[in-house]
Amino acid sequence: MADKVVPIKEQKLMDVKLGQLPSWLAARDYSAQGIFLGFKAGYDRFFNKYINVKNAGIGGFAMLMTGYVILSYTWSYSHLKTERIRKYH
Amino acid sequence: MLSRLALRVLAPAALRSWAPSLSVGVGRQLHTCQQHLAPVPPLPEGGKVRHGIFPEEFFQFLYPKTGVTGPYMLGTGLALYMLSKEIYVINHETIVSLCFLGFAIFAVKKYGPAVAAFADKINEEQLAAAEEVKNDMINHLEQTIQSEKKEQWRAEGFHYIFDAKRYNVAMLLEANYRERLLTVYNEVKRRLDYHVAVRHLKQRMEQDHMINWVEQSVIQSITPQQEKESITKCILDLKTLSKSARATV
């Protein structure tokens, strides 16, 4: 199926071919408002899919907590490296 | 007063010039944009999540290439990699997190449905209250429409009332007119009767006066000598009468 030609800027990430990835990244809006809108779009997408729905289970909250756990582990990894069991991996 | 009359005549023209849109169907200028707020669509179904933290789309994304066990193999490989390279370090916090996760999973599995039912109940109560307000408003407005229609029907029948009232007023006027006519007639008759009575009285008084005057003059004309002569004549007549009467008896 031949869709009408959509410019790189407006394509969603999953529709971008692998070779077009750098140009897609370059075409994104990195101004202050652009970054803010990007965060807001992500927030809205996540919340409208997993939290502001009719039968929201533990999934939305659990995903957020998992992300927080992974993020805090990443931030404290340089300290946790000192508690390793083996020296050579 | 004339200025007010002039204003009243000019008012429609002025209104039309000030608000040109109002004279042509009022409802057309408003609500030209699509209405976004009503009716509010219901909340959509949530995104599916497997094992509490992995979105279903991830499993579907890997299904064509790796089948059903693909994501699980990926997870196992990743876990072993992290452990073996000690990207994930096992320390006291691992034990804490394991206990905590076990407890959390147990709590969610045991009390999750109850909490969900409670939240759904609250939601439904709010929805029902809002629905009730809406239905009440709709009913109230429908009743208003009905009563308005009834009033319009009643307004059609007003000419009966007006006819009856006009008839009543005509009756009143007629009765009043006749009453006054009667009064006039009575008054006129009274005045005429007065004149007639005066005339009769005058006639009677004249008659009486004349009779009295005649009597008086006759009595005065009877001189004492005439009186004596008349008395002797009366006695003689009586005697003759008594003789004739004795004769007959």
Side-chain angles (χ1 to χ4, degrees), chain B residues 158-172:
Chain B
F158 274 161
H159 73 274
Y160 290 124
I161 293 178
F162 291 150
D163 280 346
K165 285 195 175 170
R166 247 180 260 130
Y167 184 71
N168 281 355
V169 166
M171 280 278 116
L172 275 174

PDB file of all heavy atoms in Angstrom, chain B residues 158-172:
ATOM      1  N   PHE B 158     -58.555  31.162  23.919  1.00  0.00           N
ATOM      2  CA  PHE B 158     -58.856  32.430  24.581  1.00  0.00           C
ATOM      3  C   PHE B 158     -60.037  33.147  23.948  1.00  0.00           C
ATOM      4  O   PHE B 158     -60.731  33.894  24.627  1.00  0.00           O
ATOM      5  CB  PHE B 158     -57.629  33.351  24.546  1.00  0.00           C
ATOM      6  CG  PHE B 158     -56.683  33.108  25.684  1.00  0.00           C
ATOM      7  CD1 PHE B 158     -55.367  33.536  25.611  1.00  0.00           C
ATOM      8  CD2 PHE B 158     -57.108  32.451  26.816  1.00  0.00           C
ATOM      9  CE1 PHE B 158     -54.499  33.305  26.654  1.00  0.00           C
ATOM     10  CE2 PHE B 158     -56.250  32.208  27.863  1.00  0.00           C
ATOM     11  CZ  PHE B 158     -54.938  32.644  27.785  1.00  0.00           C
ATOM     12  N   HIS B 159     -60.258  32.907  22.644  1.00  0.00           N
ATOM     13  CA  HIS B 159     -61.322  33.692  22.025  1.00  0.00           C
ATOM     14  C   HIS B 159     -62.673  33.300  22.601  1.00  0.00           C
ATOM     15  O   HIS B 159     -63.587  34.118  22.651  1.00  0.00           O
ATOM     16  CB  HIS B 159     -61.270  33.550  20.512  1.00  0.00           C
ATOM     17  CG  HIS B 159     -61.741  32.229  20.016  1.00  0.00           C
ATOM     18  ND1 HIS B 159     -60.915  31.143  19.925  1.00  0.00           N
ATOM     19  CD2 HIS B 159     -62.942  31.809  19.586  1.00  0.00           C
ATOM     20  CE1 HIS B 159     -61.599  30.125  19.457  1.00  0.00           C
ATOM     21  NE2 HIS B 159     -62.834  30.489  19.236  1.00  0.00           N
ATOM     22  N   TYR B 160     -62.781  32.041  23.111  1.00  0.00           N
ATOM     23  CA  TYR B 160     -64.026  31.679  23.796  1.00  0.00           C
ATOM     24  C   TYR B 160     -64.221  32.544  25.028  1.00  0.00           C
ATOM     25  O   TYR B 160     -65.293  33.092  25.273  1.00  0.00           O
ATOM     26  CB  TYR B 160     -64.010  30.211  24.222  1.00  0.00           C
ATOM     27  CG  TYR B 160     -64.092  29.251  23.083  1.00  0.00           C
ATOM     28  CD1 TYR B 160     -63.110  28.275  22.911  1.00  0.00           C
ATOM     29  CD2 TYR B 160     -65.129  29.309  22.170  1.00  0.00           C
ATOM     30  CE1 TYR B 160     -63.182  27.390  21.870  1.00  0.00           C
ATOM     31  CE2 TYR B 160     -65.203  28.432  21.126  1.00  0.00           C
ATOM     32  CZ  TYR B 160     -64.228  27.474  20.969  1.00  0.00           C
ATOM     33  OH  TYR B 160     -64.278  26.597  19.939  1.00  0.00           O
ATOM     34  N   ILE B 161     -63.143  32.647  25.806  1.00  0.00           N
ATOM     35  CA  ILE B 161     -63.221  33.446  27.021  1.00  0.00           C
ATOM     36  C   ILE B 161     -63.574  34.873  26.680  1.00  0.00           C
ATOM     37  O   ILE B 161     -64.408  35.510  27.331  1.00  0.00           O
ATOM     38  CB  ILE B 161     -61.878  33.379  27.776  1.00  0.00           C
ATOM     39  CG1 ILE B 161     -61.643  31.966  28.300  1.00  0.00           C
ATOM     40  CG2 ILE B 161     -61.875  34.343  28.936  1.00  0.00           C
ATOM     41  CD1 ILE B 161     -60.345  31.799  28.994  1.00  0.00           C
ATOM     42  N   PHE B 162     -62.922  35.391  25.640  1.00  0.00           N
ATOM     43  CA  PHE B 162     -63.176  36.788  25.292  1.00  0.00           C
ATOM     44  C   PHE B 162     -64.604  36.979  24.823  1.00  0.00           C
ATOM     45  O   PHE B 162     -65.246  37.979  25.149  1.00  0.00           O
ATOM     46  CB  PHE B 162     -62.191  37.244  24.216  1.00  0.00           C
ATOM     47  CG  PHE B 162     -60.789  37.353  24.727  1.00  0.00           C
ATOM     48  CD1 PHE B 162     -59.716  37.143  23.883  1.00  0.00           C
ATOM     49  CD2 PHE B 162     -60.532  37.648  26.039  1.00  0.00           C
ATOM     50  CE1 PHE B 162     -58.430  37.235  24.350  1.00  0.00           C
ATOM     51  CE2 PHE B 162     -59.249  37.740  26.514  1.00  0.00           C
ATOM     52  CZ  PHE B 162     -58.188  37.527  25.665  1.00  0.00           C
ATOM     53  N   ASP B 163     -65.119  36.001  24.069  1.00  0.00           N
ATOM     54  CA  ASP B 163     -66.512  36.116  23.641  1.00  0.00           C
ATOM     55  C   ASP B 163     -67.451  36.144  24.837  1.00  0.00           C
ATOM     56  O   ASP B 163     -68.362  36.964  24.909  1.00  0.00           O
ATOM     57  CB  ASP B 163     -66.869  34.915  22.746  1.00  0.00           C
ATOM     58  CG  ASP B 163     -66.359  35.124  21.348  1.00  0.00           C
ATOM     59  OD1 ASP B 163     -65.991  36.266  21.027  1.00  0.00           O
ATOM     60  OD2 ASP B 163     -66.319  34.153  20.578  1.00  0.00           O
ATOM     61  N   ALA B 164     -67.192  35.219  25.792  1.00  0.00           N
ATOM     62  CA  ALA B 164     -68.044  35.169  26.980  1.00  0.00           C
ATOM     63  C   ALA B 164     -67.972  36.484  27.740  1.00  0.00           C
ATOM     64  O   ALA B 164     -68.983  37.005  28.212  1.00  0.00           O
ATOM     65  CB  ALA B 164     -67.613  34.012  27.889  1.00  0.00           C
ATOM     66  N   LYS B 165     -66.742  36.993  27.852  1.00  0.00           N
ATOM     67  CA  LYS B 165     -66.594  38.253  28.600  1.00  0.00           C
ATOM     68  C   LYS B 165     -67.293  39.396  27.893  1.00  0.00           C
ATOM     69  O   LYS B 165     -67.942  40.231  28.520  1.00  0.00           O
ATOM     70  CB  LYS B 165     -65.109  38.579  28.760  1.00  0.00           C
ATOM     71  CG  LYS B 165     -64.448  37.700  29.787  1.00  0.00           C
ATOM     72  CD  LYS B 165     -63.115  38.231  30.216  1.00  0.00           C
ATOM     73  CE  LYS B 165     -62.600  37.351  31.330  1.00  0.00           C
ATOM     74  NZ  LYS B 165     -61.251  37.605  31.678  1.00  0.00           N
ATOM     75  N   ARG B 166     -67.127  39.425  26.584  1.00  0.00           N
ATOM     76  CA  ARG B 166     -67.803  40.486  25.827  1.00  0.00           C
ATOM     77  C   ARG B 166     -69.301  40.380  26.011  1.00  0.00           C
ATOM     78  O   ARG B 166     -70.000  41.392  26.158  1.00  0.00           O
ATOM     79  CB  ARG B 166     -67.447  40.351  24.338  1.00  0.00           C
ATOM     80  CG  ARG B 166     -66.603  41.497  23.836  1.00  0.00           C
ATOM     81  CD  ARG B 166     -66.267  41.356  22.387  1.00  0.00           C
ATOM     82  NE  ARG B 166     -64.936  40.849  22.228  1.00  0.00           N
ATOM     83  CZ  ARG B 166     -64.592  39.829  21.460  1.00  0.00           C
ATOM     84  NH1 ARG B 166     -65.490  39.182  20.780  1.00  0.00           N
ATOM     85  NH2 ARG B 166     -63.336  39.452  21.372  1.00  0.00           N
ATOM     86  N   TYR B 167     -69.810  39.131  25.982  1.00  0.00           N
ATOM     87  CA  TYR B 167     -71.244  38.928  26.184  1.00  0.00           C
ATOM     88  C   TYR B 167     -71.669  39.433  27.558  1.00  0.00           C
ATOM     89  O   TYR B 167     -72.685  40.101  27.700  1.00  0.00           O
ATOM     90  CB  TYR B 167     -71.537  37.438  26.031  1.00  0.00           C
ATOM     91  CG  TYR B 167     -72.983  37.091  26.121  1.00  0.00           C
ATOM     92  CD1 TYR B 167     -73.868  37.423  25.115  1.00  0.00           C
ATOM     93  CD2 TYR B 167     -73.482  36.410  27.227  1.00  0.00           C
ATOM     94  CE1 TYR B 167     -75.196  37.105  25.204  1.00  0.00           C
ATOM     95  CE2 TYR B 167     -74.808  36.084  27.325  1.00  0.00           C
ATOM     96  CZ  TYR B 167     -75.670  36.423  26.308  1.00  0.00           C
ATOM     97  OH  TYR B 167     -76.981  36.101  26.405  1.00  0.00           O
ATOM     98  N   ASN B 168     -70.842  39.083  28.579  1.00  0.00           N
ATOM     99  CA  ASN B 168     -71.152  39.550  29.937  1.00  0.00           C
ATOM    100  C   ASN B 168     -71.199  41.057  29.999  1.00  0.00           C
ATOM    101  O   ASN B 168     -72.107  41.652  30.586  1.00  0.00           O
ATOM    102  CB  ASN B 168     -70.093  39.046  30.918  1.00  0.00           C
ATOM    103  CG  ASN B 168     -70.324  37.603  31.289  1.00  0.00           C
ATOM    104  OD1 ASN B 168     -71.341  37.030  30.880  1.00  0.00           O
ATOM    105  ND2 ASN B 168     -69.413  37.014  32.024  1.00  0.00           N
ATOM    106  N   VAL B 169     -70.202  41.668  29.384  1.00  0.00           N
ATOM    107  CA  VAL B 169     -70.143  43.130  29.432  1.00  0.00           C
ATOM    108  C   VAL B 169     -71.353  43.720  28.720  1.00  0.00           C
ATOM    109  O   VAL B 169     -71.974  44.683  29.192  1.00  0.00           O
ATOM    110  CB  VAL B 169     -68.831  43.627  28.796  1.00  0.00           C
ATOM    111  CG1 VAL B 169     -68.900  45.104  28.531  1.00  0.00           C
ATOM    112  CG2 VAL B 169     -67.672  43.302  29.704  1.00  0.00           C
ATOM    113  N   ALA B 170     -71.710  43.113  27.570  1.00  0.00           N
ATOM    114  CA  ALA B 170     -72.873  43.624  26.848  1.00  0.00           C
ATOM    115  C   ALA B 170     -74.126  43.501  27.700  1.00  0.00           C
ATOM    116  O   ALA B 170     -74.969  44.411  27.743  1.00  0.00           O
ATOM    117  CB  ALA B 170     -73.037  42.854  25.548  1.00  0.00           C
ATOM    118  N   MET B 171     -74.217  42.326  28.409  1.00  0.00           N
ATOM    119  CA  MET B 171     -75.365  42.128  29.300  1.00  0.00           C
ATOM    120  C   MET B 171     -75.424  43.217  30.365  1.00  0.00           C
ATOM    121  O   MET B 171     -76.491  43.804  30.626  1.00  0.00           O
ATOM    122  CB  MET B 171     -75.225  40.773  30.000  1.00  0.00           C
ATOM    123  CG  MET B 171     -75.652  39.611  29.164  1.00  0.00           C
ATOM    124  SD  MET B 171     -77.415  39.409  29.218  1.00  0.00           S
ATOM    125  CE  MET B 171     -77.814  39.699  27.563  1.00  0.00           C
ATOM    126  N   LEU B 172     -74.269  43.463  30.963  1.00  0.00           N
ATOM    127  CA  LEU B 172     -74.211  44.462  32.030  1.00  0.00           C
ATOM    128  C   LEU B 172     -74.650  45.822  31.515  1.00  0.00           C
ATOM    129  O   LEU B 172     -75.443  46.529  32.144  1.00  0.00           O
ATOM    130  CB  LEU B 172     -72.792  44.554  32.581  1.00  0.00           C
ATOM    131  CG  LEU B 172     -72.429  43.549  33.667  1.00  0.00           C
ATOM    132  CD1 LEU B 172     -70.966  43.662  34.005  1.00  0.00           C
ATOM    133  CD2 LEU B 172     -73.259  43.787  34.888  1.00  0.00           C
TER     134      LEU B 172
END
